[in-house]
Amino acid sequence: MSAAPAEPVYRNPVLDADWSDPDVIRVGDDFYLTASSFGRVPGLPLLHSRDLVNWTLVGHALQRLEPESEFAAPRHDCGVWAPSLRHHDGRFWIFWGDPDRGVFQVNAPEIRGPWTRPHLVKAGKGLIDPCPLWDDETGEAYLVHAWAKSRSGVKNRLTGHRMHPHGTELLDEGKVIVDGDHIPGWFTLEGPKLYRHDGWFWIFAPAGGVETGWQGAFRSRAFFGPYEEKVVLEQKDTDVNGPHQGGWVRTPSGEDWFLHFQQRGAYGRVVHLQPMRWGGGGGWPVIGDDGAPVAEHRRPDLPPQPPAAPATDDDFPGGRPGRQWQWTANPRDGWATHHSADGLRFTCVRTPDAHDLRALPNVLTQRLPGTPCTVEVDLRLDDGEPGARAGLAVLGDAYSWIGLQRGPDGTVRLVHRFAETVADQERDAAPPRPAPSGRARLRVDIDAGARCRFSYDTGDTGDTANTADTGDGAGQGGFRPSGQVFAATPWRWVGALLGLVALAPTGQGHAGTATFTQFRIRIQEKRADR
């Protein structure tokens, strides 16, 4: 007698990259998720799933950050913090906090838009992590938000408001409805998500900080309190540090699930899916395995779906980057040229900050995969003047990049540079090497510790600086290693990023162009089952 087939399982994380501060909803048979995008553009990513395990990126709700002038240069830890996604009255709504300006919202009839321009709901410093609630029982609307001490001097408390049902304005001055300073052992209370369930107002909110914190639940019969609290998810004896901040969603069959993040250093905040049920010990939610995060679990009771994940590879058809790419600030006309073929044709943008990629707005980025991988891209440095350069970067508080640069005599050389966290200028990670064809295939191998090994193939047999061949057979000479291992680092709230850039020193006139083609990410360790 043959054994019964194994019950299908999924393994965490279900989104193995930096999808920070996730929130999730269901509309019909579809699930949608958004996440923090901070200072990158476009912002407010929109992801779609049919099974809560396999997700695809379908667009962004915010095409530019406002005010435009404030985001003309990188502000990596500003902008869009911890959005909340809701569906009400036939429209999708996203509320978020800009810690320097206040609470904003956008809305749209469909997830792919068109989305409205950002509307300021509440002005102020340090207003973060807002979440609305439309109470279908009473017709009332509410909003709760947290506080950033860096801007307001206040933290560890949640403020509640009555809100106009149109979602455009608040109807009172607000009241502190949960004060974490009055709960023994609680600190850095933030990230609230507001719900109605079983006659209670519920606030799901994390505390304890991103590295070591926990997920709390608060409930009250009245919106303005008083609230009672309980810890409903924490690390316990697992290896999932700080499991918290996310959203609750219910499937059509009535199953409950909770999506949250885990902070993983240079990889940022990866997303886990936890089973959830109501009724544990007096009607409280029970998340994970009796309050501990699960590494794997039975899949949700939803129709099977083909494996999927947000796109990474890109051929740049028509010279346009795919949805997975974001600029480090509001983009300007002329950075990239649209054309009829494949390939990303960049202008070598003149800048006084050519010595520090972290200060540049014209870096096109995507998230660093949370799994060991190999990243490759073809680069051609076209006509240009001395100093014009372009390359592939691993970008964070420290960074390293490899690419091509035109020298004073007009020849092109392979260069590899890096900058430490405390340095304000980059320096050579390896001696420059000839690249007479003006082309190179660039590679970064990234291991489980986010340690990056750079290599290159110029296709030129004359490069004898290092004749090691990795066996890939690329070009005539194969890939040659460059420099020492570089340990990727995160930004303040953001994981490390992969970046493409073309730039030149200050001067007059056209500085040249660079073309990137065949961007690929190969995951080195594939799971047997997602």
Side-chain angles (χ1 to χ4, degrees), residues 240-262:
V240 181
N241 62 294
H244 69 256
Q245 189 152 334
W248 160 47
V249 69
R250 175 166 286 176
T251 69
S253 66
E255 288 185 346
D256 295 302
W257 297 85
F258 183 73
L259 283 150
H260 68 90
F261 76 70
Q262 174 200 11

Side-chain angles (χ1 to χ4, degrees), residues 69-82:
S69 59
E70 290 190 13
F71 292 96
R75 301 182 68 200
H76 297 290
D77 59 351
C78 301
V80 177
W81 284 25

Side-chain angles (χ1 to χ4, degrees), residues 276-292:
M276 176 177 147
R277 60 182 173 86
W278 290 93
W284 291 89
V286 178
I287 301 178
D289 181 8
D290 196 25

Side-chain angles (χ1 to χ4, degrees), residues 142-144 158-162 174-179 194 196 199-203 218-229:
Y142 304 95
L143 183 109
V144 64
L158 307 179
T159 294
H161 291 269
R162 291 179 62 243
K175 174 185 175 182
V176 174
I177 57 177
V178 179
D179 189 339
L194 182 59
R196 269 296 236 160
W200 297 86
F201 287 90
W202 290 89
I203 300 174
F218 300 81
R219 69 180 182 183
S220 174
R221 292 295 184 184
F223 172 70
F224 287 104
Y227 282 84
E228 53 184 324
E229 81 284 340

Side-chain angles (χ1 to χ4, degrees), residues 106-167:
V106 292
N107 60 86
E110 304 290 341
I111 195 68
R112 290 173 174 82
W115 289 85
T116 61
R117 287 277 300 273
H119 175 79
L120 184 61
V121 179
K122 180 182 180 181
K125 294 278 190 178
L127 310 179
I128 59 170
D129 309 352
C131 183
L133 171 70
W134 286 269
D135 188 345
D136 293 334
E137 296 179 13
T138 65
E140 298 287 330
Y142 304 95
L143 183 109
V144 64
H145 70 79
W147 295 85
K149 186 175 181 179
S150 60
R151 272 72 164 186
S152 66
V154 175
K155 72 170 185 175
N156 205 32
R157 64 192 63 175
L158 307 179
T159 294
H161 291 269
R162 291 179 62 243
M163 183 177 72
H164 194 289
H166 290 166

Side-chain angles (χ1 to χ4, degrees), residues 38 62 103 215 230 243 325 388-389 399 421 507:
F38 298 99
L62 190 62
V103 173
Q215 179 67 37
K230 184 176 182 180
W325 297 97
R389 68 200 75 164
Y399 73 85
T421 301

Side-chain angles (χ1 to χ4, degrees), residues 25 49 96 103 107 117 126 128 202 212 221 271 314 348 360 366 398 409 419 429 434 452 461 464 477:
I25 61 170
S49 177
W96 76 93
V103 173
N107 60 86
R117 287 277 300 273
I128 59 170
W202 290 89
T212 58
R221 292 295 184 184
V271 178
D314 206 348
C348 294
L360 300 183
Q366 66 167 281
D409 60 355
C452 305
T461 57
T464 58

